Amino acid sequence: MNTQHQYGRRRLRLVAAAGAAALTLTAALATPLNPAPRQAEAQTQAKPQAQAQAQAKASKKTLTVAVAQSVDSLSPFLASRLVSTSIHRLMYEYLTNYDPTDNHAIPGLATKWQPSADKLTWTYTIRSDSKWSDGEQATAEDAAWTFNKMMTDDGAATANGSFVANFKKVTAPSPTELVIELKKPQATMIALDVPIVPKHVWEKVGDFSKFNNDKSFPIVGNGPFILTDYKADSYVRLKANKSFWRGSPKFDELVFKYYKDNDAAVAALQKGEVSFTFGLTPAQAATLKTQKNIKVNDAPGRRFYALAVNPGAQAKNGQKFGDGHESLLNEKVRQALFMAVDRKALIDKVFQGHAVEGAGYIPPRFSDYFWKPSASQELLYDPAEAAQLLDEAGYKKNGDGKRVGKNGKPINYRVLCHATDPNDKAVGQYLKEWWGELGIGVTLNCLDNVTDPWLAGTYDIAFDGWSANPDPDFLLSIQTCGALPATPKDTGATDNFICDKQFDDLYDQQLAEYDTAKRADLVKQMESRLYDTGYMNVMAYPNAVEAYRTDQIESIETMPKAAGNIYGQDGYWSWWSAVPAASSGESSDGSSSTGVIIGIVGGVVILVGVGAFFAMRRRSTAEDRE
């Protein structure tokens, strides 16, 4: 990434139960006020079946995750936000998965795979021990149908279309054999991050561009969890898939519960209302480290934190739209803004050491593809040089010390930020100071929902962040011309409308390169190109700072196992592996069954913040897409 607080209602139920017990005891006595004790006795006789149900409810183990990001779609064909794609990893199997130790490809729905000599035909063996939650067998036909639908329906290709753009033909000769024929070699064939859906359910869908998969529950899947209930901007509820081929999760239920800000989520963790939260600020992490029954995990993250420049929103048909500032079309201006951001100061003052200074597009956690500029290429913090670049670009100061645009008006950039992200707001204040010294104004436009202005191109600069996968292809694809929307009215897979031929040529080359070292070199050339053009200013690689209650979760898998993250993994390892603590029994509504009563202000409904970017796959609020 849902529910209202349940503790107030539970407290009332307990009080009511106590009152009822007292009345029952009184009713059992023959008194002038109660001449009919037999009737009371009948009322006190609990039905065995009801007792069994109550016991089962009390023993249910529920893991509750606090998130500050709303679901953009429960359709895996449309979803781009990290919370949504993380949920889909729990609901559906992919052909392959990533080993939690070192990210190498391991079996998922496919047990093995084999390319032809020319690597243009790939044959996958589909496991025979995976069933859909409605009892139907999962087969190669489901996978073939999923890929063919994405190849032939633009709506179905919204989120993951880049993976199948090079597919020529996909067939299922038998229930356990899937064959994919390619137009040209494709290096991502064991890293196809596409959820496989049940054909017999999804073939009934009409318009894939509008179907959000959120009207009928439970949702049929074959992953470790089954989605059973959902309320927009409130909660997502899943139950353990007891027949999952890899083994059932240890928790009976997994709930993603939404809070508008991290302060509320942290408070909920402290009170025991939730089991886990993430995206902690340094101050929050420091406080939680001192508290009983809470463990803080601080590990290198898998995402970058950046400023994205509106390069002039455009569609594939060449039509321009939006109202980005014309000065940002000038490369010298973009580079000047780059040089007027002190990354070291941000690491020290905003992230307080819980991040690494930004450089290339791929975080250092993925060492094969991590890139840093050379000494001669690096755009160091240099306000004087930045001012000179602005002068050279023709944007000079007027008598009031303000830089003016081609229209003669002072330049004032609208910076789109997440209202729910304290980092955006803090960095925004520094931008006002640093760019103000250049004579450029800054207006922070912090919104709960940044989707509309982002897709409409009605911004100048935006806080951006994506979580990277072990294979960098998807993250690179969202900066290609092919990711632009077909028309201004459509939604594309683009991050921020970049369309650069040199970048695209390198993208095509890396996609077709099977040699690991050669491909890594091409990827680094792409990162270098993004850096030089100044469209993406990667300021930092934030740590994954998260916390969980040890009295609810006994153990949980990080990825990678050595110093890795828990939330937003490249797989389902954390929630699938989590072991309940002895005291973590919870009722089905998520309230504690340990007997600890926590008072909550009545009537307050905590809603999810919609401040996460939609931009097509994982934009950042606290974390973002895969």
Side-chain angles (χ1 to χ4, degrees), residues 123-175:
T123 302
Y124 301 81
T125 300
I126 303 300
R127 65 176 57 256
S128 57
D129 58 350
S130 177
K131 287 190 174 183
W132 299 110
S133 53
D134 62 0
E136 295 285 336
Q137 182 70 37
T139 69
E141 181 60 30
D142 294 307
W145 185 88
T146 298
F147 290 128
N148 277 305
K149 173 56 66 172
M150 293 168 62
M151 294 163 61
T152 57
D153 187 322
D154 288 340
T158 299
N160 298 305
S162 64
F163 288 114
V164 302
N166 184 45
F167 286 12
K168 180 179 179 181
K169 185 179 181 181
V170 182
T171 58
S174 77

Side-chain angles (χ1 to χ4, degrees), residues 6-182:
Q6 303 293 338
Y7 293 97
R9 292 205 295 270
R10 177 169 174 76
R11 188 175 186 179
L12 290 175
R13 286 200 298 271
L14 289 171
V15 172
L23 288 173
T24 301
L25 179 61
T26 302
L29 302 176
T31 70
L33 294 177
N34 181 26
R38 288 185 180 182
Q39 180 179 356
E41 290 173 1
Q43 292 174 349
T44 63
Q45 292 177 355
K47 296 180 180 179
Q49 183 177 2
Q51 285 181 326
Q53 290 175 343
Q55 290 173 353
K57 183 176 182 180
S59 64
K60 180 177 289 186
K61 304 291 187 180
T62 299
L63 194 165
T64 305
V65 179
V67 294
Q69 188 182 61
S70 60
V71 170
D72 50 349
S73 178
L74 288 181
S75 165
F77 297 98
L78 300 178
S80 68
R81 293 177 182 165
L82 182 60
V83 64
S84 309
T85 56
S86 295
I87 289 170
H88 289 140
R89 283 188 177 275
L90 303 173
M91 296 168 59
Y92 304 105
E93 274 282 30
Y94 296 19
L95 288 182
T96 61
N97 210 324
Y98 298 104
D99 186 274
T101 302
D102 61 5
N103 292 325
H104 76 270
I106 60 174
L109 185 60
T111 59
K112 59 183 179 180
W113 43 90
Q114 181 65 48
S116 59
D118 62 3
K119 291 186 170 59
L120 290 177
T121 301
W122 286 71
T123 302
Y124 301 81
T125 300
I126 303 300
R127 65 176 57 256
S128 57
D129 58 350
S130 177
K131 287 190 174 183
W132 299 110
S133 53
D134 62 0
E136 295 285 336
Q137 182 70 37
T139 69
E141 181 60 30
D142 294 307
W145 185 88
T146 298
F147 290 128
N148 277 305
K149 173 56 66 172
M150 293 168 62
M151 294 163 61
T152 57
D153 187 322
D154 288 340
T158 299
N160 298 305
S162 64
F163 288 114
V164 302
N166 184 45
F167 286 12
K168 180 179 179 181
K169 185 179 181 181
V170 182
T171 58
S174 77
T176 58
E177 183 180 3
L178 175 72
V179 180
I180 300 178
E181 298 178 37
L182 305 173

Side-chain angles (χ1 to χ4, degrees), residues 303-304 306 359-363 369-371 464 466 468 472 474-479 495-496 503 523 526-528 530-531 536 538 541:
R303 57 181 286 263
F304 65 76
Y361 196 53
I362 307 298
Y369 301 107
F370 177 61
W371 170 89
D464 195 7
W466 289 75
F474 178 83
L475 200 59
L476 298 170
S477 74
I478 60 176
Q479 304 295 6
D495 180 28
N496 64 315
F503 184 88
V523 169
M526 297 175 72
E527 295 181 78
S528 177
L530 273 180
Y531 185 90
M536 293 292 298
V538 178
Y541 309 110

Side-chain angles (χ1 to χ4, degrees), residues 564-581:
N565 61 292
I566 295 172
Y567 179 80
Q569 294 181 355
D570 302 295
Y572 40 64
W573 309 113
S574 55
W575 314 128
W576 173 75
S577 71
V579 176

Side-chain angles (χ1 to χ4, degrees), residues 281-283 342-355 381 422-423 426-427 430 433-434:
T281 65
D342 189 345
R343 294 171 185 74
K344 288 183 172 63
L346 296 181
I347 298 302
D348 294 339
K349 297 179 180 179
V350 176
F351 294 98
Q352 296 180 30
H354 296 270
Y381 177 58
N423 290 332
V427 175
Y430 281 104
E433 176 185 339
W434 293 331

